[in-house]
Amino acid sequence: MQRARSLVAFVLLALSSSFASAFDPSPLQDFCVAIKDPKDGVFVNGKFCRDPMLATANDFSFSGLNIPGNTSNKVGSNVTLVNVDKIPGLNTLGISLARIDFAPYGGLNPPHTHPRATEILVVLEGTLYVGFVTSNPNRLITKVLNAGDVFVFPIGLIHFQFNIGQTNAVAISGLSSQNPGVITIANAVFGSNPPINPDVLTKAFQVDKNVVNYLQKQFWVNNH
């Protein structure tokens, strides 16, 4: 019985530890305005903190999210990310925001992941087909969203948004990290620097090597 209790305690400790490290650490002070100059600063969450007495309203604000992003690229979308690099006061607070603009029918925010954040998206204008893929055995979960609809993309899972309407579409995303990161799947696999050995990709995708060579020669768009 004692051994069973010890095992249960160990499992609970392991789970609590994994939950605690799954997202940005909780701050130990009111705020920590990020600065680039280490002079008289304290290093927290990858940034130096400004003296709290010197913080101003500008450290906690950003202007311009009302301006549409340029969607005249190959994927027809543009992501305007407002993270700790845009609002220094976000440092240690564990949140960020993005505006996503989509060109009329076909505007795509390509399959990607956020390694450090769950995303919650609300559609402001237009109609989006959105979805994510679970970990193995890779179940696809999708939904068509209209203005006012909300959808959640769990942390680390591959997801996408596609404009199926005939007009521009706009969405706002909240992310559970001051710096969520993004890995666009096609860009990472076929556009890495240096390139992944074509033999690896040929085997992984079970296609002719010429197909891999062709894909690796393409210009992969970064819509951020």
Side-chain angles (χ1 to χ4, degrees), residues 69-91:
N70 183 2
T71 60
S72 59
N73 53 56
K74 287 186 176 181
V75 295
S77 70
N78 186 280
V79 178
T80 304
L81 177 63
V82 183
N83 63 2
V84 66
D85 294 326
K86 300 288 182 62
I87 302 181
L90 283 179
N91 192 41

Side-chain angles (χ1 to χ4, degrees), residues 19-191:
F19 292 150
S21 62
F23 304 97
D24 292 356
S26 297
L28 299 178
Q29 64 285 319
D30 288 343
F31 53 80
C32 169
V33 175
I35 58 173
K36 295 181 180 179
D37 186 355
K39 184 180 179 181
D40 299 325
V42 179
F43 199 65
V44 179
N45 282 24
K47 299 287 184 180
F48 286 97
C49 298
R50 186 190 307 279
D51 182 337
M53 298 304 296
L54 301 179
T56 69
N58 289 335
D59 293 321
F60 301 91
S61 66
F62 173 86
S63 298
L65 214 58
N66 61 312
I67 301 172
N70 183 2
T71 60
S72 59
N73 53 56
K74 287 186 176 181
V75 295
S77 70
N78 186 280
V79 178
T80 304
L81 177 63
V82 183
N83 63 2
V84 66
D85 294 326
K86 300 288 182 62
I87 302 181
L90 283 179
N91 192 41
T92 76
L93 299 185
I95 58 170
S96 57
L97 184 72
R99 169 180 173 141
I100 313 172
D101 290 275
F102 301 85
Y105 191 84
L108 171 69
N109 192 13
H112 62 281
T113 72
H114 300 295
R116 294 180 290 276
T118 289
E119 175 180 354
I120 183 168
L121 176 140
V122 57
V123 179
L124 301 184
E125 301 174 16
T127 302
L128 296 178
Y129 169 67
V130 307
F132 63 86
V133 180
T134 68
S135 53
N136 294 346
N138 305 133
R139 181 184 173 206
L140 174 64
I141 296 177
T142 65
K143 189 173 179 65
V144 173
L145 305 180
N146 295 297
D149 292 341
V150 177
F151 198 82
V152 174
F153 305 99
I155 186 172
L157 297 186
I158 295 174
H159 60 282
F160 61 87
Q161 299 102 27
F162 182 70
N163 184 4
I164 59 174
Q166 300 301 318
T167 61
N168 292 324
V170 182
I172 295 290
S173 285
L175 299 124
S176 63
S177 172
Q178 68 181 44
N179 186 25
V182 61
I183 302 172
T184 305
I185 306 306
N187 300 37
V189 173
F190 296 108

